[in-house]
Amino acid sequence: MPGKNLSREEAQQRAGVLAVDGYLVRLDVTSAPDPAAATFRSTTTVTFRCSQPGTGTFLDLLAPAVRSVTLNGRELDPATAYDGARVHIDGLAAENVLTVEADCAYSRTGEGLHRFVDPADGETYLYTHYEPADARRVFANFEQPDLKAPFTFTVTAPAAWDVRSNAVHESVRTEGDARTWEFAPTTPISTYLTAVVAGPYHVVNDHYSRELPDGTALEIPLAALCRQSLAPHFDAEEILGVTKLGLDFFHETFDYPYPFGKYDQAFVPEYNIGAMENPGCVTFKEEFVFRSKVTDAAYESRANVVLHEMAHMWFGDLVTPRWWDDLWLKESFADFMGSYALIGARTRYSSAWVTFANQRKAWAYRQDQFPTTHPITADIRDLEDAKLNFDGITYAKGASVLKQLVAYVGAEAFFEGARRYFKRHAFGNTELADLLGVLEETSGRDLKSWAASWLQTAGVNALTPQVTTDAEGRITELAVLQDGDVLRPHRIAVGLYDRDADGALLCTERIELDVTGARTVVAEAVGRRRPDLVLLNDEDLTYCKIRFDAESLETLRTGLGDIRDELARALAWSAVWNLTRDGLMPARDYVALVLRFAGQEGNIGVLQSLHAQSKTAVDLYAAPEWRAEGARKLADGALHELRAAVPGSDHQLAWARFLARTAGGAEHLGLVRGLLAGSARIDGLEVDQELRWSLWLALAAAGQATDEELAGELASDNTAGGKREYTQCLAARPTPEAKAAAWSAVIDSDELPSALVEANSAGFAIPAQRDLTALYAAPYFKLLERVWAERTIEIAMRIVGGFFPIAQTDEQTLAEADVWLDGHPQAAPALRRLVLERRDDLARALRAQACDRA
């Protein structure tokens, strides 16, 4: 497969003949502060063995220029050896030394070595991000996860900078205005896990100590980093506190000492993802450094990500999937362990499984109902496939299935299997069979059929209760109906809920059982009085959509907020949202539930999900003729709850932000402007910088923010975050000129980083402005292949997803999508997948509208 892609077959062939002994990588980034300097010097020396002497192979490299290639002392002509993506070498010996010297490019897309200039103080910052295959943008290498090797990095940078990599630095020497950092060799790791972070970062140091079972001491230096201009907002002590709790928990649970020496955590700008598990040098998006007040849900989310990445030190870094087919072997486990450890490590976030049920699984359910869904163990043909498989299946569905597996085999058997897995495969690569083997050993269960049902098939089951009663209202039969393309074994709990004397809905009986096949009878329920609510999958043990019988659904319509248990309540909210998305509950009925009960919702994360989902219900799922009324109801509800919320509470802040998202009428927009000007006040509500931008966005989208006002706000918040918010505000203005400018900024130029691509697309595609953006639907479909060919995959994915005309929600746009798909069968599979998924979102919206209209 030519070009920048790499096929699974090519990787298997290369791994079949090569073994890599080590890399020495020298980077010179002293040019980074000069905005005119586009490249940096990269020199790689790799030692490797070949089991078939005389054969040829290739290294991966994406660089503007290659200066020299030397194999075993023999000079190769770069003009013929390098084709723009690969360095071809032949005549290999049994033992080889190859040196490649290249000029590699600084990145503005978050792929490779990203360069960022802080608008607040002009300082330059660098960091790397590689997964799945962008280390080749920084140094020549064999870019596949199963050719692990030790890496030794040497980095020359401006003398005032701090430089970090995976290992500790062994020496630092200064020569004039430059300083060279020499790092110790790493343990064997994959190329995509190597890292360099360089710049005048603010650093907070700490230390972790632990006595190991053999009586020796484990000492782990800790550090947390952010940009200097963010230092006043950096709560490093909170982050490092969670880090220490996590290290305690994982050592106790995994019984394998942390294997990578130090533990740095760098919060970096314009990051494309939430975080990356580079061993010894974890990188996070700097939005986790909170510049303004956020709700406790944001702190929980950050703590979850800290623990997710820490779990990767074992699941992914110590033991790594052989190829991207088994990406779930690290991501599903880390996603599961992030929530599991929040509770197991005794953090203050005791509602982690509520968040998981309400948010992570919503992502999985959506992804798993696309026509492009795939098994958890996916068929990954090449790197483009791999890039798109960092999705809700690999993360959230996989984590949900692991939660089901823990219930199926028992927690002790599960974690004993993990302990054996680490010891047996340390610093190596694995496949599905390796994990199943140890779990079968520890549990005594044959997991092959379980794996075939859960890991090797796609789709989500729906479970529905079927209740029959006698004349006295007693249950004569309670059955669980399962539907779906594949019927799976489910370990579930059935919760029977009744109202108490105060009207609260409480679980009065809980029955745990295995559901198999299309119909399973719950024998223990026979003879019991018919409950007010039958809640399947109580405690959220399995992965499924839950439905309700008619009586239970009526109970929810009149009393969803009366469910006292927050996990059970979250499951009910999740279920009615799935009914809405599936066109089984009118969008206006879902909105009515939110308006009636969201004010009672105690869990702040669930409340924020309800805000987002009810906005989607109005924008996309409601019948067009009801949208205006629905939007007005949401804004009125937000205003009412804002005024009723406890002053200074998280709920007050959440309702204020929701008001900003829904404001449209004169009363709402008048309050928004008054809050910005200081002429209006809500007791306890601090209108800080982040909230100010939310309020300005509301005014901009309503056409009530002038250029001068927005520029003035940017001047007072001349930061990376401020620039992103300002860009979105400009794109959100309801004028043809604003839409044309946002479109052109992204489509006609490749200068924008991904953060500003997203800001432009978010402002451009406001659903209420669909009349303004309708004329861009046809140009969108015409430019898809050009964008995919000319942009990096990271930027192309954002353009394809962000500018798809989903807001049009009409049959014509659906037909245009179908015409493109039918007319481009040979388009890149990854591009077709993105378009298919957005097309499916549009078709789902049309079905939901039909339900709402009916």
Side-chain angles (χ1 to χ4, degrees):
M1 187 171 291
K4 298 177 182 179
N5 214 338
L6 173 72
S7 72
R8 177 176 51 204
E9 288 69 25
E10 288 177 311
Q12 290 171 341
Q13 291 167 7
R14 192 161 59 175
V17 297
L18 301 184
V20 185
D21 296 313
Y23 288 86
L24 174 61
V25 179
R26 294 184 174 89
L27 305 177
D28 185 340
V29 295
T30 51
S31 64
D34 179 4
T39 62
F40 58 93
R41 184 69 59 85
S42 169
T43 304
T44 302
T45 298
V46 54
T47 57
F48 63 99
R49 286 164 284 137
C50 177
S51 62
Q52 296 179 9
T55 192
T57 190
F58 63 91
L59 280 81
D60 303 287
L61 178 65
L62 298 176
V66 172
R67 291 172 174 260
S68 65
V69 180
T70 305
L71 174 64
N72 299 328
R74 173 167 55 99
E75 297 286 340
L76 306 181
D77 182 2
T80 56
Y82 182 56
D83 65 6
R86 297 175 176 184
V87 178
H88 299 272
I89 51 178
D90 54 18
L92 296 178
E95 297 185 357
N96 302 273
V97 178
L98 174 71
T99 299
V100 178
E101 185 177 6
D103 294 327
C104 293
Y106 293 111
S107 169
R108 289 293 292 133
T109 65
E111 301 153 292
L113 182 63
H114 187 80
R115 176 169 59 179
F116 172 82
V117 179
D118 192 338
D121 55 19
E123 295 285 2
T124 300
Y125 293 87
L126 303 177
Y127 64 86
T128 57
H129 178 67
Y130 298 149
E131 192 175 38
D134 283 319
R136 56 187 172 156
R137 297 181 184 275
V138 177
F139 59 94
N141 63 75
F142 300 110
E143 188 82 286
Q144 58 190 77
D146 59 342
L147 287 177
K148 283 186 166 184
F151 288 81
T152 303
F153 280 91
T154 299
V155 181
T156 301
W161 283 16
D162 188 286
V163 180
R164 306 276 165 150
S165 188
N166 303 91
V168 297
H169 64 269
E170 292 187 324
S171 68
V172 180
R173 65 178 186 274
T174 303
E175 299 174 1
D177 294 334
R179 182 178 293 173
T180 298
W181 300 68
E182 295 185 350
F183 294 90
T186 69
T187 56
I189 59 176
S190 302
T191 53
Y192 76 90
L193 292 168
T194 60
V196 172
V197 174
Y201 283 90
H202 169 72
V203 181
V204 178
N205 292 302
D206 205 336
H207 196 83
Y208 173 86
S209 299
R210 182 179 181 85
E211 183 177 338
L212 298 177
D214 62 4
T216 61
L218 177 67
E219 305 289 342
I220 305 176
L222 307 177
L225 296 75
C226 73
R227 289 186 287 126
Q228 290 286 348
S229 62
L230 284 178
H233 310 289
F234 194 35
D235 55 338
E237 293 76 15
E238 169 74 14
I239 294 165
L240 292 167
V242 172
T243 302
K244 293 176 184 178
L245 290 173
L247 287 169
D248 273 339
F249 172 77
F250 286 118
H251 280 112
E252 293 165 6
T253 303
F254 292 159
D255 191 32
Y256 193 106
Y258 173 72
F260 299 111
K262 67 181 178 70
Y263 202 83
D264 295 342
Q265 297 174 98
F267 294 78
V268 298
E270 297 182 336
Y271 207 38
N272 287 335
I273 60 173
M276 180 63 202
E277 68 267 20
N278 316 306
C281 190
V282 184
T283 41
F284 298 81
K285 66 177 183 180
E286 70 175 18
E287 285 77 8
F288 283 132
V289 180
F290 305 124
R291 298 194 306 150
S292 298
K293 181 180 178 181
V294 296
T295 68
D296 207 46
Y299 287 98
E300 179 189 324
S301 175
R302 183 179 67 183
N304 183 298
V305 175
V306 167
L307 296 175
H308 173 119
E309 303 308 324
M310 189 178 293
H312 272 310
M313 299 299 126
W314 290 266
F315 281 114
D317 294 358
L318 176 66
V319 183
T320 310
R322 189 173 309 284
W323 177 248
W324 302 105
D325 297 35
D326 283 311
L327 177 62
W328 79 280
L329 279 175
K330 69 185 190 77
E331 294 302 347
S332 296
F333 277 86
D335 214 48
F336 169 74
M337 291 306 304
S339 296
Y340 192 92
L342 277 176
I343 296 171
R346 297 177 292 278
T347 72
R348 64 186 180 89
Y349 307 106
S350 59
S351 297
W353 288 122
V354 176
T355 304
F356 182 83
N358 185 255
Q359 296 178 13
R360 300 303 285 179
K361 292 181 95 169
W363 181 26
Y365 295 144
R366 176 175 181 264
Q367 190 79 46
D368 210 10
Q369 294 176 88
F370 282 141
T372 57
T373 189
H374 56 86
I376 294 172
T377 53
D379 178 25
I380 304 301
R381 298 161 295 184
D382 53 43
L383 291 178
E384 287 193 357
D385 276 358
K387 185 71 173 176
L388 267 65
N389 257 48
F390 290 84
D391 61 15
I393 303 298
T394 301
Y395 283 76
K397 180 181 179 180
S400 303
V401 167
L402 288 177
K403 190 179 182 187
Q404 167 74 178
L405 179 60
V406 172
Y408 185 64
V409 304
E412 182 49 44
F414 178 83
F415 286 112
E416 175 57 27
R419 291 187 280 270
R420 295 185 190 183
Y421 178 74
F422 298 138
K423 291 169 184 174
R424 195 168 298 173
H425 301 288
F427 303 108
N429 297 85
T430 58
E431 298 172 343
L432 169 63
D434 300 307
L435 179 67
L436 292 182
V438 294
L439 290 176
E440 287 180 336
E441 290 174 15
T442 58
S443 70
R445 286 181 177 265
D446 181 355
L447 295 178
K448 295 179 182 61
S449 60
W450 179 90
S453 294
W454 280 107
L455 303 179
Q456 297 166 340
T457 61
V460 57
N461 299 119
L463 302 184
T464 305
Q466 185 181 66
V467 186
T468 57
T469 59
D470 60 19
E472 296 178 352
R474 295 193 174 277
I475 296 174
T476 57
E477 185 181 70
L478 170 58
V480 179
L481 309 182
Q482 178 180 189
D483 63 29
D485 294 335
V486 178
L487 301 184
R488 300 179 176 89
H490 297 266
R491 184 68 179 175
I492 71 165
V494 178
L496 307 181
Y497 285 75
D498 287 295
R499 292 190 181 276
D500 67 5
D502 298 322
L505 280 167
L506 303 176
C507 184
T508 53
E509 188 171 353
R510 181 178 176 276
I511 303 167
E512 192 166 320
L513 74 156
D514 290 323
V515 170
T516 56
R519 193 172 191 273
T520 303
V521 174
V522 185
E524 295 92 329
V526 174
R528 188 206 189 278
R529 189 184 67 80
R530 154 88 219 190
D532 293 315
L533 170 66
V534 178
L535 181 64
L536 301 185
N537 198 31
D538 204 6
E539 297 196 5
D540 198 34
L541 297 181
T542 194
Y543 171 78
C544 69
K545 292 190 295 185
I546 57 176
R547 307 299 199 199
F548 302 100
D549 63 290
E551 291 85 349
S552 294
L553 187 56
E554 185 58 31
T555 295
L556 293 180
R557 289 183 187 278
T558 59
L560 192 157
D562 298 330
I563 302 173
R564 288 294 178 260
D565 182 81
E566 66 172 354
L567 178 54
R569 196 170 62 249
L571 290 171
W573 278 121
S574 175
V576 295
W577 176 239
N578 279 322
L579 289 172
T580 307
R581 291 191 73 248
D582 291 347
L584 300 175
M585 173 180 280
R588 67 191 72 193
D589 287 7
Y590 178 78
V591 170
L593 282 170
V594 172
L595 292 174
R596 183 169 185 177
F597 298 118
Q600 301 172 227
E601 179 53 56
N603 185 289
I604 187 63
V606 172
L607 176 63
Q608 290 174 297
S609 292
L610 298 179
H611 288 164
Q613 290 163 355
S614 60
K615 186 74 165 61
T616 299
V618 169
D619 288 340
L620 300 182
Y621 298 161
E625 59 270 21
W626 189 78
R627 281 179 191 146
E629 181 182 347
R632 185 169 58 253
K633 286 177 178 291
L634 286 184
D636 287 343
L639 182 57
H640 171 77
E641 296 295 346
L642 171 60
R643 288 173 169 156
V646 175
S649 66
D650 281 1
H651 285 65
Q652 183 188 57
L653 177 58
W655 284 109
R657 289 180 174 170
F658 191 49
L659 176 64
R661 292 185 63 188
T662 57
E667 181 184 8
H668 313 126
L669 292 171
L671 177 60
V672 165
R673 183 164 285 281
L675 289 171
L676 282 168
S679 57
R681 186 171 180 273
I682 302 288
D683 186 29
L685 181 66
E686 179 186 354
V687 184
D688 56 24
Q689 188 58 67
E690 293 300 317
L691 183 54
R692 287 186 65 82
W693 278 118
S694 296
L695 298 172
W696 277 120
L697 181 59
L699 293 178
Q704 296 187 20
T706 67
D707 292 352
E708 293 75 18
E709 286 176 323
L710 294 176
E713 192 67 30
L714 177 63
S716 65
D717 183 29
N718 186 27
T719 64
K723 182 62 180 298
R724 186 172 58 249
E725 301 286 359
Y726 172 75
T727 300
Q728 184 172 350
C729 285
L730 292 182
R733 293 173 299 172
T735 66
E737 294 78 12
K739 300 308 173 188
W743 175 273
S744 178
V746 174
I747 304 302
D748 298 336
S749 169
D750 61 358
E751 296 298 315
L752 291 184
S754 58
L756 295 187
V757 170
E758 285 192 340
N760 272 292
S761 66
F764 175 90
I766 289 177
Q769 299 172 357
R770 51 180 55 84
D771 290 345
L772 284 169
T773 55
L775 59 89
Y776 291 91
Y780 167 87
F781 289 108
K782 291 179 180 177
L783 61 80
L784 287 174
E785 287 190 295
R786 175 171 65 84
V787 164
W788 198 260
E790 295 177 357
R791 305 297 181 90
T792 68
I793 190 170
E794 193 71 47
I795 296 297
M797 287 168 59
R798 281 164 166 73
I799 294 173
V800 174
F803 284 92
F804 184 94
I806 182 68
Q808 301 312 314
T809 57
D810 56 31
E811 294 291 346
Q812 178 182 341
T813 307
L814 188 69
E816 290 178 331
D818 288 336
V819 167
W820 187 88
L821 288 164
D822 292 343
H824 296 80
Q826 303 305 316
L831 171 58
R832 284 184 55 83
R833 172 177 166 174
L834 287 171
V835 177
L836 269 168
E837 291 178 352
R838 297 303 278 158
R839 185 262 181 212
D840 191 71
D841 279 336
L842 177 54
R844 179 178 292 274
L846 291 171
R847 292 194 298 271
Q849 287 178 24
C851 172
D852 189 63
R853 183 177 293 112

